[in-house]
């Protein structure tokens, strides 16, 4: 278990093998990062501190300074982890779908993003902070997520181009904003503008509407 590895890291036995110490350090770093992410998702930045993260990870707080350089370094690590989140939750394979047009690409991105965000409490927290908490820490997390999404789109689109005369950047921003508001409203109150967002069938209805909007714009 991660906590057991953290305990080993806190009190290594004399003469322990170097390979074991390296492995324990890696487990400790992962435990700290996981604790920091879960704490942020549940309580936000208000209760986010070295002591709170150390308690949740079950480690000495000095290890956070040693491995991450303190709270700012830990936030940077969470931001870097958002790039992994994009790769894991919004894969670059086509899932059997043929991407023949820019509309195909944006439909796939929209549906994957909707599904990923509605199932990730930390990412929803970050989205909410973007419009309510203009701090340096929030900006760093938001920029990391936005950069990872932009890189995904750049890699995936290849030679695919939006229709001529279309301001794709503006349209995509509005589509993504709509997706983000849907997941935030669904998590907060189970509905958005009268559309119920409580059951899988409700979300299927929202996804279908989203597809129609994207196709209406891009064809």
């Amino acid at each position: 278990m991660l906590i057991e590895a953290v305990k080993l890291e806190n009190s290594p036995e004399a003469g322990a093998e170097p390979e074991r110490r390296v492995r324990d350090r890696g487990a400790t770093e992962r435990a700290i990062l996981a604790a920091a992410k879960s704490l942020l998702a549940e309580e936000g930045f208000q209760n986010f501190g070295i002591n709170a993260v150390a308690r949740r990870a079950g480690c000495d707080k000095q290890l956070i300074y040693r491995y991450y350089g303190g709270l700012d370094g830990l936030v940077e690590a969470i931001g870097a982890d958002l790039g992994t989140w994009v790769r894991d939750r919004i894969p670059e394979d086509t899932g059997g779908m043929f991407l023949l047009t820019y509309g195909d690409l944006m439909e796939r991105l929209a549906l994957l993003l909707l599904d990923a965000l509605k199932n990730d409490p930390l990412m929803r927290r970050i989205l909410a902070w973007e419009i309510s908490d203009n701090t340096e820490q929030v900006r760093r997390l938001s920029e990391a997520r936005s950069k990872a999404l932009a890189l995904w789109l750049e890699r995936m689109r290849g030679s695919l181009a939006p229709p001529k005369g279309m301001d794709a950047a503006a349209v995509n921003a509005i589509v993504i904003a709509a997706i983000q508001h849907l997941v935030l409203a669904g998590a907060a109150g189970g509905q958005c503008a009268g559309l119920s967002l409580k059951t899988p069938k409700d979300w299927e209805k929202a996804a279908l509407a989203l597809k129609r909007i994207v196709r209406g714009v891009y064809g």
Side-chain angles (χ1 to χ4, degrees), residues 82-181:
L82 296 183
T84 301
W85 180 90
V86 169
R87 290 194 300 272
D88 292 343
R89 302 300 297 274
I90 308 178
E92 293 185 15
D93 67 84
T94 62
M97 178 181 179
F98 292 103
L99 303 182
L100 302 178
T101 68
Y102 191 83
D104 293 338
L105 174 63
M106 288 310 301
E107 176 186 317
R108 177 154 177 78
L109 173 59
L111 296 180
L112 286 171
L113 185 60
L114 177 68
D115 186 65
L117 292 178
K118 71 185 179 68
N119 290 302
D120 194 307
L122 176 57
M123 198 58 69
R124 291 199 303 271
R125 277 274 192 177
I126 294 172
L127 295 179
W129 290 329
E130 285 182 10
I131 58 176
S132 64
D133 193 356
N134 189 32
T135 65
E136 179 61 28
Q137 291 174 322
V138 170
R139 282 196 297 274
R140 273 186 278 170
L141 294 180
S142 298
E143 287 168 4
R145 179 185 55 83
S146 297
K147 182 179 179 180
L149 270 179
L151 289 173
W152 183 95
L153 187 58
E154 188 64 27
R155 288 192 297 266
M156 287 292 290
R157 80 172 194 167
S159 61
L160 299 177
K164 289 184 178 181
M166 177 75 65
D167 188 342
V171 171
N172 294 346
I174 290 172
V175 169
I176 290 172
I179 293 169
Q180 293 177 172
H181 186 73

Side-chain angles (χ1 to χ4, degrees), residues 68-79:
Y68 292 99
L71 205 58
D72 284 345
L74 194 51
V75 172
E76 290 288 349
I78 293 172

